[in-house]
């Protein structure tokens, strides 16, 4: 039997995502009510510019006083899609204090202060759901928190930023340079006017922190994630990748150590074999692999951004939270019992592709090989081309730690025969 009194929802933010949330709540109202067991009512919309026309939203619901809206006391669920740290953090904790559960898409805030927000939700017996914070419409948070709760997750590997994937895909498929591909992404609306958060991997790093924390039952903050942007990737790097049967992707990689005693979280460009499923993820799409003991390897794929896809994830959380409100229960909160240490990037072991500019004369290869050997880095393959006294030397290593590779490169720079290090890139996904 359906309850007739509606559950009231406050919407914080009415931009690309927020406007889609409001639209779906209105157009699918009957279906949502049937799925929840009670109607849901949009009780207020907090915005910064109230004069802007918002199609389908009653102007009487619009307010600039977000604090007053979350303090009303009759609000059942607050949907936060304004982003950033403040005022979002204060608004969310205020919502808990005044009896509302929260659905958020705020990856930056969750990566920085997720533990404190979960603690506030627990203190007041309320839900904090955030499927939309990672990978847009792709169901990923809930499978990690619930479907795989009885399994042991060992690795999460994937493409979690559509803007950077679009840029790298264009560079690979058309031969465009970085700036040309970025300009096209901006013109199509995939990149912001200031693309720093995407191309310097801040966005992906926040998502990696969230994923690692859930997957390994350990608190992982944004500061724990190694971050390397993709602005230095060149057409020459793609040419080298093709010679190896690879392409280049910006990857988020969260791993449990082989001995199970620590975890790592990192985001950086990497070469992956064309045979790997992630190599075929094109345009602005996202894809994430999850590897666990019992389930094995799972792949989640779909649109990772955009108003409607992200709103889909928000509405999925809204349905779950509303159901919990009706039953008087709460869903899963933070699980950080494992409390594993987060190892520094220097401890990470992977393969490397190093391109060197060297003098084209006898003995150079032997000198370079000696430096690698002295630092305990084993060489897999070497390719050398040269003329007119100059040459390029491409070295692909076996698996080595980041610290040992760093020492190797520092020593190579000191050789008289090495003119410069053209590029260094990790090789993943084997």
């Amino acid at each position: 039997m359906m309850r007739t009194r509606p559950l009231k929802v406050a919407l914080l933010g009415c931009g690309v995502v927020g406007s889609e949330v409001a639209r779906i709540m209105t157009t699918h109202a009957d279906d949502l009510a049937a799925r929840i067991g009670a109607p849901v009512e949009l009780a207020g919309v907090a915005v910064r510019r109230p004069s802007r026309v918002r199609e389908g939203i009653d102007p009487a619901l619009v307010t600039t006083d977000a604090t007053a809206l979350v303090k009303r006391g009759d609000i059942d669920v607050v949907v936060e899609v304004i982003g950033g740290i403040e005022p979002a953090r204060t608004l969310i904790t205020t919502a808990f204090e005044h009896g509302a559960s929260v659905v958020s898409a705020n990856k930056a805030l969750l990566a920085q202060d997720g533990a404190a927000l979960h603690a506030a939700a627990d203190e007041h017996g309320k839900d904090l759901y955030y499927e939309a914070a990672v990978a847009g419409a792709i169901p990923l948070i809930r499978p990690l928190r619930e479907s795989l709760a009885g399994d042991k997750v060992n690795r999460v590997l994937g493409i979690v930023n559509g803007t950077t994937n679009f840029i790298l895909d264009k560079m690979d498929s058309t031969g465009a340079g970085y700036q040309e591909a970025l300009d096209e992404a901006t013109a199509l609306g995939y990149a912001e006017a200031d693309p720093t958060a995407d191309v310097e991997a801040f966005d992906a790093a926040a998502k990696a922190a969230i994923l690692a924390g859930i997957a390994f039952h350990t608190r992982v903050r944004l500061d724990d994630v190694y971050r390397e942007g993709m602005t230095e990737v060149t057409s020459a790097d793609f040419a080298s990748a093709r010679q190896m049967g690879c392409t280049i992707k910006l990857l988020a990689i969260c791993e449990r150590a082989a001995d199970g005693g620590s975890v790592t979280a990192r985001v950086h460009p990497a070469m992956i074999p064309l045979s790997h499923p992630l190599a075929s993820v094109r345009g602005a799409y996202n894809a994430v692999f999850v590897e666990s003991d019992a389930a094995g390897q799972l792949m989640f794929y779909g649109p990772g951004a955009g108003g409607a896809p992200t709103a889909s994830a928000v509405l999925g959380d809204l349905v779950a939270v509303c159901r919990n409100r009706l039953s008087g229960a709460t869903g899963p909160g933070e699980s950080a019992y494992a409390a594993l240490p987060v190892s520094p990037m220097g401890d990470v072991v992977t393969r490397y592709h190093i391109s060197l500019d060297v003098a084209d004369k006898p003995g150079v290869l032997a000198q370079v090989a000696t430096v690698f050997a002295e630092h305990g880095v084993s060489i897999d393959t070497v390719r050398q081309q040269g003329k007119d006294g100059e040459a390029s030397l491409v070295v692909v290593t076996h698996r080595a730690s980041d610290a040992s590779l760093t020492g190797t490169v520092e020593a190579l720079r000191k050789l008289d025969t090495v003119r410069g290090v053209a590029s260094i890139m990790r090789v993943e996904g084997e």
Side-chain angles (χ1 to χ4, degrees):
M1 182 175 177
M2 183 179 295
R3 192 181 83 164
T4 57
R5 185 175 70 81
L7 292 160
K8 295 189 176 183
V9 177
L11 178 61
L12 307 183
C14 198
V16 173
V17 176
S19 60
E20 281 295 311
V21 170
R23 181 187 67 80
I24 295 171
M25 284 185 64
T26 301
T27 58
H28 295 182
D30 291 342
D31 286 335
L32 291 172
R35 294 165 192 171
I36 292 169
V40 287
E41 173 189 312
L42 188 59
V45 182
V47 299
R48 285 186 295 178
R49 293 181 290 274
S51 59
R52 178 179 162 191
V53 176
R54 293 170 172 85
E55 187 177 349
I57 297 177
D58 183 351
L61 297 178
V62 177
T63 178
T64 57
D65 194 343
T67 301
L69 179 59
V70 300
K71 282 183 174 181
R72 271 177 40 173
D74 64 335
I75 300 297
D76 294 287
V77 185
V78 169
V79 174
E80 183 271 309
V81 288
I82 57 177
I85 305 303
E86 288 292 355
R89 174 171 49 198
T90 299
L91 290 170
I92 289 173
T93 55
T94 301
F96 292 141
E97 291 166 0
H98 287 78
S101 290
V102 173
V103 172
S104 176
N106 196 330
K107 52 191 168 284
L109 177 58
L110 289 158
Q112 178 172 306
D113 289 320
L117 295 179
H118 274 294
D122 290 345
E123 179 184 353
H124 297 283
K126 299 296 178 284
D127 276 324
L128 173 62
Y129 276 51
Y130 43 90
E131 184 68 62
V134 179
I138 304 172
L140 188 56
I141 299 297
R142 193 166 295 137
L144 284 173
R145 287 213 300 190
E146 300 179 32
S147 303
L148 295 173
D151 205 345
K152 179 183 177 184
V153 175
N154 297 309
R155 194 176 197 228
V156 180
L157 165 75
I159 298 163
V160 296
N161 183 278
T163 300
T164 53
N165 197 60
F166 178 89
I167 292 170
L168 292 173
D169 182 36
K170 281 295 176 182
M171 293 177 69
D172 186 23
S173 61
T174 69
Y178 166 75
Q179 189 60 50
E180 182 183 352
L182 173 59
D183 290 343
E184 182 173 354
T186 304
L188 292 172
Y190 291 127
E192 301 286 347
D194 179 1
T196 303
D198 293 322
V199 300
E200 293 295 352
F202 290 101
D203 175 87
K207 295 170 181 176
I210 295 169
L211 291 174
I214 297 170
F216 307 132
H217 304 278
T218 290
R219 287 178 178 169
V220 180
R221 290 170 50 88
L222 181 58
D223 292 345
D224 296 321
V225 181
Y226 172 82
R227 178 191 57 80
E228 183 180 319
M230 42 79 71
T231 58
E232 301 300 319
V233 177
T234 66
S235 298
D237 291 326
F238 276 101
S240 294
R242 282 191 288 273
Q243 290 179 333
M244 290 179 59
C246 292
T247 188
I248 299 170
K249 299 292 185 182
L250 184 77
L251 298 180
I253 306 169
C254 311
E255 294 178 303
R256 189 189 299 267
D259 63 4
S262 64
V263 299
T264 58
R266 50 195 167 102
V267 175
H268 53 71
M271 293 183 179
I272 57 172
L274 293 174
S275 58
H276 195 283
L278 288 178
S280 62
V281 177
R282 313 304 295 267
Y285 275 70
N286 284 189
V288 178
F289 269 86
V290 177
E291 300 173 9
S292 66
D293 278 358
Q297 193 174 74
L298 308 171
M299 182 174 176
F300 300 83
Y301 171 82
T310 306
S312 170
V314 171
L315 267 295
D317 278 351
L318 179 63
V319 169
V321 170
C322 286
R323 286 171 175 170
N324 290 344
R325 296 282 290 195
L326 290 180
S327 66
T330 55
E334 182 188 34
S335 175
Y337 73 90
L340 297 171
V342 182
S343 296
M345 186 62 188
D347 293 347
V348 171
V349 175
T350 188
R351 296 179 66 204
Y352 289 87
H353 175 282
I354 305 101
S355 180
L356 304 171
D357 296 324
V358 299
D360 185 18
K361 62 182 183 181
V364 173
L365 180 56
Q367 284 184 321
V368 169
T370 297
V371 170
F372 276 88
E374 288 174 347
H375 289 81
V377 179
S378 175
I379 293 175
D380 182 17
T381 62
V382 177
R383 186 175 70 253
Q384 184 174 6
Q385 294 178 322
K387 63 178 182 178
D388 301 327
E390 298 296 330
S392 63
L393 189 65
V394 175
V395 179
V396 180
T397 74
H398 287 290
R399 291 175 65 83
S401 72
D402 186 82
S404 62
L405 196 283
T406 299
T408 301
V409 172
E410 290 176 354
L412 288 171
R413 294 183 192 277
K414 296 177 182 179
L415 294 177
D416 292 339
T417 51
V418 174
R419 310 299 194 209
V421 179
S423 69
I424 304 170
M425 192 164 294
R426 296 166 184 86
V427 182
E428 300 282 348
E430 298 167 286

